[in-house]
Amino acid sequence: MIVDLKLCNRTTEQIFSREAKKEELRQVKVLKEQEKKQNANRNKWIGEWIKQNYGCESSKLTIEQKKEVVN
């Protein structure tokens, strides 16, 4: 009977361990999605700011203008 309980406990630990890993992966996925959305919003804002201040798309800026934007 003792052996059965040890086996049961080990199996239970393995199940909880697997579930914890799944949850951790899910949370990482959620965080990556949030980061991707934040980056998209930031890039959109930067693009709009460049358009307002330079009157063109960022791809049309000269090297000197790009340096100004970065600084």
Side-chain angles (χ1 to χ4, degrees):
M1 197 64 158
I2 293 173
V3 173
D4 290 339
L5 286 176
K6 285 183 179 181
L7 179 62
C8 182
N9 285 342
R10 193 174 327 126
T11 303
T12 303
E13 287 174 11
Q14 289 171 347
I15 290 170
F16 280 117
S17 177
R18 263 187 262 137
E19 291 302 315
K21 286 178 186 174
K22 285 180 188 177
E23 178 62 21
E24 186 178 345
L25 289 173
R26 187 192 70 73
Q27 289 177 0
V28 167
K29 186 177 179 181
V30 167
L31 289 173
K32 284 184 179 182
E33 281 298 316
Q34 288 175 343
E35 185 178 353
K36 190 186 281 186
K37 286 178 185 177
Q38 287 173 345
N39 286 339
N41 287 338
R42 187 190 78 231
N43 291 342
K44 181 180 174 185
W45 182 87
I46 290 170
E48 290 172 1
W49 183 87
I50 289 171
K51 209 178 241 183
Q52 272 185 339
N53 290 285
Y54 290 92
C56 63
E57 299 289 324
S58 61
S59 61
K60 306 236 192 257
L61 293 178
T62 65
I63 293 172
E64 290 79 23
Q65 289 172 323
K66 287 181 181 179
K67 286 180 183 176
E68 287 177 21
V69 170
V70 172
N71 293 331

